[in-house]
Amino acid sequence: MMDGGLPEFPFEPPAVGAAVEIAAGVLWLRIPLQMRPDHVNVYAFEEGTTWTVVDTGLDTEHCRAVWETLLSGPLRGRRVGRVIVTHHHPDHIGLAGWFQARGAELWTTRTAWLFARMLRLDEQARPSPETLAFWRAAGMDPALLAERAAGRPLNYADMVAALPLGFRRISQGEILRIGGRDWRIEMGHGHAPEHATFWGIGHDLVIAGDQILPGITSNLGVYATEPEADSVGEWVASCKRLRAFAREGQLALPGHRRPFFGVGARLEALVADADGAQARLFAALAEPRTASQCFEALYGRRIGAGEYGLAVGEAVGHLNRLRAAGRAAREMGPDGAWLWRRKS
């Protein structure tokens, strides 16, 4: 349980439909996903005759079936009275509305709720002109751009149940009671705006969501909704600020992979990883490049069409960070793509 070196993983993952008790009255559940990563972690906290559930999985027939097995099995037929959502991404909020329809309360940040409501209602038969312009500006291959322009995109509504009006807002610095324990809410940014993390008061549990992940880094994508966002800068600043709350012996409950000890060391490693990516990208920009031409420098491997959206969004995030720091500049090329170069 040392807060140095590599993270330590004290528990093996639960099987689908099963649970692992990681503390008294705290269950670790896994909902499988048909994407990468191939699961999302959810946590159930015993509240007497009901449960509080943190995050939910996607709104798919398969995920709902897994939940039915969990509700009748490890959750012993007791009702979910409250769903707490760490952030608005589909794998975390996807079934919140489904639980609300069964009588649960939804607790989340105002930003998460507003983003989810907006995106759930914004269903597109084809990619929007703004999205196509964003991909073009990032240097997407013309053939791939034409293919995506002609097809129906994966919509938020395909993965997220309808959210009825009404939620309970959670805020920075607020103290919540969950599962008979007190927790302080600390917000992170960069992976998602106003991402809630929960730090135990008088106990050593930390609900980390996707803000602090072991083994992988949070995706720091920029999208057509806010193409100039400095997602990497916001995330690094959040990691540095959250480091002050980390102490030896805390068990972090992440949104993916396994619960782990070593929160402080992991936060430091995540900042170092981001700094390393910035250094590699800065070196690569000795020659002008589009965002799509930065994949090798950032990821060290070929990016396929299925990964392209996440990869290009994060590449733009890293480029925006260099530009915000005064270390890179861009100019529009004749094909409508930004050409980025480093500044000496």
Side-chain angles (χ1 to χ4, degrees):
M1 297 193 301
M2 296 301 292
D3 195 27
L6 296 174
E8 296 179 26
F9 303 98
F11 302 102
E12 291 301 314
V16 176
V20 172
E21 187 172 44
I22 55 177
V26 182
L27 301 181
W28 170 27
L29 319 169
R30 267 195 171 179
I31 309 299
L33 306 174
Q34 278 69 49
M35 60 177 66
R36 294 182 60 187
D38 64 1
H39 68 275
V40 62
N41 293 329
V42 300
Y43 302 94
F45 295 81
E46 196 166 10
E47 305 279 11
T49 60
T50 65
W51 297 89
T52 289
V53 166
V54 175
D55 292 337
T56 69
L58 297 173
D59 180 34
T60 66
E61 183 177 350
H62 181 62
C63 290
R64 290 191 298 270
V66 171
W67 266 114
E68 294 289 8
T69 299
L70 291 168
L71 289 165
S72 61
L75 272 58
R76 304 191 297 278
R78 296 178 183 175
R79 185 175 65 86
V80 173
R82 174 174 58 170
V83 174
I84 298 176
V85 171
T86 58
H87 61 296
H88 77 277
H89 290 168
D91 51 332
H92 295 265
I93 202 171
L95 282 167
W98 183 74
F99 278 110
Q100 283 182 281
R102 293 171 163 227
E105 295 180 351
L106 172 60
W107 294 38
T108 191
T109 67
R110 177 180 287 168
T111 301
W113 189 80
L114 290 173
F115 256 104
R117 284 278 296 183
M118 174 196 68
L119 292 170
R120 181 60 177 70
L121 298 172
D122 186 23
E123 189 170 356
Q124 304 287 338
R126 294 289 184 273
S128 68
E130 295 84 359
T131 296
L132 294 175
F134 178 80
W135 287 337
R136 187 177 299 109
M140 179 181 278
D141 178 79
L144 181 58
L145 182 64
E147 178 184 333
R148 294 201 170 197
R152 182 184 184 277
L154 181 64
N155 282 282
Y156 195 84
D158 298 333
M159 303 173 285
V160 177
L163 290 162
L165 282 175
F167 77 108
R168 201 291 203 171
R169 181 188 179 190
I170 60 176
S171 303
Q172 164 64 35
E174 183 178 359
I175 308 299
L176 287 190
R177 189 81 172 166
I178 307 172
R181 298 169 174 86
D182 289 331
W183 311 71
R184 178 183 174 87
I185 299 174
E186 293 294 333
M187 297 301 177
H189 301 275
H191 174 67
E194 212 177 4
H195 182 307
T197 63
F198 304 79
W199 298 76
I201 299 174
H203 61 95
D204 289 326
L205 297 178
V206 178
I207 302 172
D210 283 2
Q211 190 69 34
I212 314 169
L213 295 172
I216 56 174
T217 58
S218 308
N219 182 265
L220 306 177
V222 170
Y223 304 96
T225 47
E226 192 181 351
E228 306 298 322
D230 182 10
S231 58
V232 174
E234 290 181 352
W235 186 73
V236 168
S238 295
C239 288
K240 290 179 177 179
R241 188 180 68 81
L242 292 174
R243 178 64 180 88
F245 300 96
R247 62 180 186 272
E248 186 175 331
Q250 289 169 319
L251 179 66
L253 313 183
H256 305 279
R257 303 270 177 121
R258 291 183 285 168
F260 66 96
F261 292 113
V263 183
R266 184 57 184 157
L267 284 164
E268 292 169 5
L270 290 171
V271 172
D273 285 346
D275 289 344
Q278 287 278 285
R280 295 193 304 274
L281 184 58
F282 183 78
L285 293 182
E287 299 179 359
R289 295 174 184 265
T290 67
S292 297
Q293 292 169 339
C294 295
F295 290 168
E296 181 65 30
L298 286 172
Y299 312 120
R301 61 185 176 86
R302 182 182 177 277
I303 298 297
E307 303 172 273
Y308 184 89
L310 292 176
V312 77
E314 185 160 276
V316 173
H318 275 282
L319 290 163
N320 284 354
R321 170 86 298 257
L322 286 178
R323 184 167 177 249
R327 303 180 66 206
R330 67 184 186 182
E331 59 183 16
M332 185 62 72
D335 58 355
W338 289 113
L339 288 171
W340 297 79
R341 59 175 177 80
R342 74 187 189 192
K343 295 172 69 174
S344 55

